[in-house]
Amino acid sequence: TVNGVKLWEDILETARFGGTPKGGIRRLALTEEDRQVRDWFVRACEALGCTVSHDSMGNQFARRPGTEETLPPITMGSHLDTQPTGGKFDGIVGVLGGLAVLRTLHETGRETRHPIELINWTNEEGSRFAPAMLSSGVFAGVFTEQEALDTKDREGVRFGDALEGIGYRGVEVCGAHPVAAYFELHIEQGPILEVEHKTIGIVTGVQGMRWYEVTLTGRDSHAGSTPMRMRADALVTAARLIDAVQTIALEHGPDAVGTVGLIENRPNSRNVVPGDVFFAVDFRDPDDSIVQKMEEAFYAQASELAEAAGLTLEIARVWDTPAVQFDPECIASVARAADALGYPARRIVSGAGHDATYMAQVAPTAMIFVPCAGGLSHNEEESAEPDDVTAGANVLLRAVLETDMR
Amino acid sequence: TVNGVKLWEDILETARFGGTPKGGIRRLALTEEDRQVRDWFVRACEALGCTVSHDSMGNQFARRPGTEETLPPITMGSHLDTQPTGGKFDGIVGVLGGLAVLRTLHETGRETRHPIELINWTNEEGSRFAPAMLSSGVFAGVFTEQEALDTKDREGVRFGDALEGIGYRGVEVCGAHPVAAYFELHIEQGPILEVEHKTIGIVTGVQGMRWYEVTLTGRDSHAGSTPMRMRADALVTAARLIDAVQTIALEHGPDAVGTVGLIENRPNSRNVVPGDVFFAVDFRDPDDSIVQKMEEAFYAQASELAEAAGLTLEIARVWDTPAVQFDPECIASVARAADALGYPARRIVSGAGHDATYMAQVAPTAMIFVPCAGGLSHNEEESAEPDDVTAGANVLLRAVLETDMR
Ligand SMILES: NC(=O)NCCC(=O)O
Ligand SMILES: NC(=O)NCCC(=O)O
């Protein structure tokens, strides 16, 4: 088993890179804070005898040699970037849990046939650079490296320039790395495990998800002297569409979700009727056909409302990740590990996207969930119990070792 | 009459301070661009033999002596600050039109009994620092100087610090300046004069206006893994209230207007259910009792929707400027001037707030409107005809001289 105390110390120690007064983390991808935690990752992995490299997307790989070095590595991983007001566990538990696994192997002198690698994926959150899981996506061939490097944040900074800026653009071509299997430990980010008093979620797959960018263009005008009938108010129609996203999700069954998380209003001045609004929509459901139906309902309402208001409408689907089923063997390894360790467990579908979503396209993959308080994530108050985090890392260790012996 | 060619040149020349690629101006109050245009104003007025000073709120006064120096000055004025994406005419026509009047007096050697003063008011737009007309408000005793100096912009910069920063905090106490009468030339910012082919609007008063700040607090959470029923989405309720503002205005008669121009969504990330939204509401009507009714309707809906959504609601009325009637004698002077010059004119109530709104509380006041294309203002495409601007300045000159002879 892993050293749970050291794992918890690592969580608290790295939480200072981008730590916020409210106890959360603001460590957006490819910022100075991201660089700091990457440097820490290199030192921590090297101290355990690993060799650390990074590829052309900045993904970091810490490698512990196997006895059969021609075998592809069994990999573990997640991400160290966070939301603007993120917590201390989302992604971090998977990377530092993997580090705890490496530590146990190192300290017990345990030999494995396969090399074991721990991966820190770049820009998983999709908050600074959309979409999410951008670099595991390039790794899996879902996005080209060029389109990823050319992705811009909302201030217009190129991903490629930001990556060079923190000194983490490597020479190894992203995706040129063989992988025998991939395991990702993560907090659930939802309420189910906690409510059902389960320590381990045996993740069988990830639901389907799509992102959209919507721009409504009307006409800036004076809030005091422009009669209501002469306005082309982009914000009023955006508001009705934000309401529509909510209603559409509620009308499409118990699992469907729909969210507007990002909105930019221009010129954003109290006495100016807004002429230009940009916002982003997120629809998800375990059933891709329901995501498709929500998209159709949204497109129809957007066209209708924009036309009625005399606005120009642009909609683009900027991300489409169909539902994913993980590898039955890897899922079984996770289930057996939880069982052998005596942890209460249940099968679960992930509501959040993870790097495992894309890794499943190129290697046998599964995930391990542990509970988080109130199912709360993407929140500075995100919280998890040390014992649960340790349990997850123990399951990870055992699933990796079982896979190595297969 | 004034030199219309030189007046138009001044408009184009000053438009370069903060000039935008789309032909508008971004010259927010107390920024470097504002400093530049203030320095230009000092030089231009001094070149016409005026003495230029500024008071403790940064209001600038260019003074041309009268033959009876004990008489209080007859004043003209408006503002040189703009919206973030403002036009070349809003406010500017009033200051540079006043400059054209001073030029005519100077070049013709015309003597007046009263000193004549031209005022450039600080932070009229209310875009960087809310509310609008902040410094004429202090001048008129509507706000205390201390509360004005302590006003912060949305980045937290204090008005007083920004004023010191551009070097325009003067020693004369704001409001300690005697005024015999105040005339303000401005573009209409609405459609009426253009539609009715009138060159001059004889402004009889300003409608009532109120501003509100609304904060909705819910809980940040994950857009993928938080079931719809577990959310406390502040943006969805904000959206419904933005819609409500629109509906309330439409239901309160033909003159009522309601606008949400400013919204800040936090953390504003695509895959985070927003936990915190701030927005500003603007309600106006020529009849204060209708403004009151709109406020009551909005407060009721805000409480109801916030409670239904499990959100915390804070609302504050941050500005309340009742409808204002200008001085009958000053209005008559404007009307006689338009008539004598042969300009088609009509009486009109201002939909926008102006420094004249507050000056009317401390001195006989009136305003002169000229048309702007399509009634469009607070827009980079704001446009006015040189002949109309010249006509407005001619009316201003004549109204000032008539008042001097009264
Ligand atoms: N795990 C996680 O929060 N990923 C972010 C991508 C998403 O699901 O929106
Ligand atoms: N004239 C003008 O645009 N003033 C700004 C104050 C307001 O009416 O909102």
Side-chain angles (χ1 to χ4, degrees), chain B residues 385-399:
Chain B
E385 290 301 317
D387 284 353
D388 291 339
V389 172
T390 305
N394 284 334
V395 172
L396 178 63
L397 169 62
R398 211 172 168 104

Side-chain angles (χ1 to χ4, degrees), chain B residues 96-373:
Chain B
L96 301 185
L99 188 69
V101 168
L102 290 176
R103 185 175 295 116
T104 297
L105 300 181
H106 180 69
E107 291 179 353
T108 59
R110 168 77 184 237
E111 292 194 335
T112 55
R113 290 170 52 234
H114 293 77
I116 309 291
E117 289 194 9
L118 173 60
I119 310 176
N120 171 33
W121 298 105
T122 300
N123 191 57
E124 191 273 347
E125 291 291 356
S127 183
R128 180 170 179 200
F129 297 98
M133 298 120 62
L134 187 62
S135 306
S136 51
V138 172
F139 191 93
V142 175
F143 312 118
T144 67
E145 181 173 315
Q146 198 54 51
E147 67 187 335
L149 292 174
D150 287 338
T151 301
K152 291 198 172 103
D153 70 12
R154 295 301 302 162
E155 266 76 55
V157 179
R158 250 183 99 247
F159 180 100
D161 295 339
L163 182 60
E164 304 260 9
I166 65 162
Y168 270 96
R169 178 143 156 84
V171 288
E172 179 181 289
V173 173
C174 179
H177 212 94
V179 172
Y182 178 73
F183 290 95
E184 182 166 352
L185 168 63
H186 208 284
I187 55 168
E188 178 195 343
Q189 309 183 281
I192 298 169
L193 295 179
E194 188 185 60
V195 166
E196 298 191 3
H197 302 287
K198 305 291 188 199
T199 307
I200 298 295
I202 303 154
V203 189
T204 56
V206 181
Q207 68 179 344
M209 42 203 160
R210 294 188 190 175
W211 282 5
Y212 308 87
E213 292 185 350
V214 184
T215 304
L216 289 164
T217 312
R219 193 173 52 247
D220 298 354
S221 61
H222 196 293
S225 46
T226 314
M228 298 306 286
R229 305 282 176 195
M230 278 185 58
R231 299 179 174 209
D233 187 327
L235 184 59
V236 168
T237 298
R240 289 174 182 160
L241 288 175
I242 291 166
D243 194 4
V245 166
Q246 175 85 359
T247 307
I248 288 168
L250 287 169
E251 285 169 358
H252 281 80
D255 295 330
V257 290
T259 310
V260 175
L262 173 73
I263 179 168
E264 292 170 2
N265 180 54
R266 278 178 282 262
N268 216 31
S269 181
R270 290 167 202 249
N271 42 6
V272 184
V273 176
D276 183 19
V277 175
F278 171 91
F279 64 98
V281 179
D282 175 315
F283 281 123
R284 308 192 192 194
D285 194 276
D287 176 347
D288 291 326
S289 75
I290 290 186
V291 180
Q292 175 63 25
K293 288 201 185 96
M294 291 195 284
E295 173 179 304
E296 285 163 15
F298 179 70
Y299 273 55
Q301 289 199 40
S303 305
E304 193 183 312
L305 292 181
E307 195 183 317
L311 305 175
T312 307
L313 168 72
E314 282 173 64
I315 308 189
R317 189 205 295 138
V318 294
W319 197 34
D320 179 6
T321 299
V324 164
Q325 312 297 329
F326 289 143
D327 176 70
E329 261 313 302
C330 290
I331 296 171
S333 293
V334 171
R336 279 190 295 267
D339 189 46
L341 290 158
Y343 299 133
R346 62 159 277 169
R347 297 194 169 227
I348 189 168
V349 173
S350 178
H354 298 284
D355 296 301
T357 313
Y358 288 142
M359 287 305 286
Q361 305 205 4
V362 289
T365 291
M367 288 187 75
I368 303 151
F369 274 178
V370 292
C372 58

Side-chain angles (χ1 to χ4, degrees), chain A residues 312-329:
Chain A
T312 306
L313 168 71
E314 281 173 64
I315 308 191
R317 190 205 294 137
V318 294
W319 197 34
D320 180 4
T321 300
V324 164
Q325 311 299 328
F326 289 143
D327 176 68
E329 263 311 306

